[in-house]
Amino acid sequence: QCLAAGSDLRGVDELMYHRILVPLENTRTDRVILAHVSALARQCGASVVLVHVADGFAARNLQQLDLRESEEMRRDRQYLDDMCAQLTAEGLACEAVLACGNPADEIAAAAAREEADLIAMATHGHRGINDLLRGSVASELRHRTLIPVLMVREPQAKSAP
């Protein structure tokens, strides 16, 4: 948007995002949301917090059963660190958080804890029975937080003729 010369800009800063939480899955949809958030964060001067929620057996029961971090969790942490390093190399302020448990609950909790003013996530675009069977973290999340949730849909793969 353009503002007229001499416009009163008080309060415009309140409209901008300062801290964007980005849930990642270690799938191809991550590229979609990272490209979008990179541009948005650069435009707003926002910092980025990447979060991945490990939800395997070890992750969900880590504290209750006094388990060690699983190999899957170590790979998840490395992936987050790599993505964060990539954004940092692009000039963005970035942090990475690995959480464990139910994805929607943990994303909402991380957004509150990290004082995010936007949650930006990619969606797969499941519909109907597929959404019912596979579930939708995005759908669950929007019921668990008052922080705005930006959903960017992964483009559908083009089928060969």
Side-chain angles (χ1 to χ4, degrees), residues 2-13:
C2 296
L3 297 172
S7 294
D8 182 3
L9 298 178
R10 285 176 292 179
V12 169
D13 188 50

Side-chain angles (χ1 to χ4, degrees), residues 27-159:
T27 65
R28 70 175 186 253
T29 60
D30 292 351
R31 290 190 315 259
V32 173
I33 196 62
L34 287 173
H36 191 89
V37 166
S38 259
L40 181 61
R42 196 168 283 105
Q43 182 74 28
C44 296
S47 62
V48 176
V49 179
L50 303 179
V51 62
H52 175 78
V53 181
D55 64 346
F57 176 81
R60 285 183 183 256
N61 297 287
L62 194 66
Q63 291 179 335
Q64 297 90 325
L65 300 177
D66 195 26
L67 298 173
R68 283 195 226 150
E69 190 173 82
S70 69
E71 182 59 33
E72 179 183 5
M73 291 168 67
R74 282 190 285 280
R75 284 192 307 269
D76 291 340
R77 185 178 306 284
Q78 185 61 54
Y79 176 74
L80 273 177
D81 290 344
D82 291 348
M83 294 300 100
C84 194
Q86 181 180 330
L87 292 178
T88 301
E90 294 174 15
L92 295 172
C94 185
E95 297 172 45
V97 175
L98 180 63
C100 300
N102 174 282
D105 292 338
E106 293 301 324
I107 293 167
R113 188 176 55 251
E114 296 294 328
E115 299 180 346
D117 47 14
L118 178 69
I119 301 169
M121 60 191 305
T123 63
H124 299 280
H126 302 149
R127 287 187 283 182
I129 192 73
N130 209 4
D131 194 33
L132 183 65
L133 293 173
R134 296 173 114 171
S136 170
V137 172
S139 182
E140 281 185 57
L141 178 61
R142 66 189 180 90
H143 295 289
R144 287 178 168 70
T145 185
L146 294 176
I147 298 168
V149 180
L150 171 68
M151 293 183 245
V152 177
R153 186 170 172 184
E154 172 190 31
Q156 297 300 309
K158 295 180 182 172
S159 51

Side-chain angles (χ1 to χ4, degrees), residues 13-20 40-41 44-47 117-118 148:
D13 188 50
E14 299 285 321
L15 300 174
M16 296 296 170
Y17 299 114
H18 302 282
R19 197 151 169 86
I20 305 171
L40 181 61
C44 296
S47 62
D117 47 14
L118 178 69

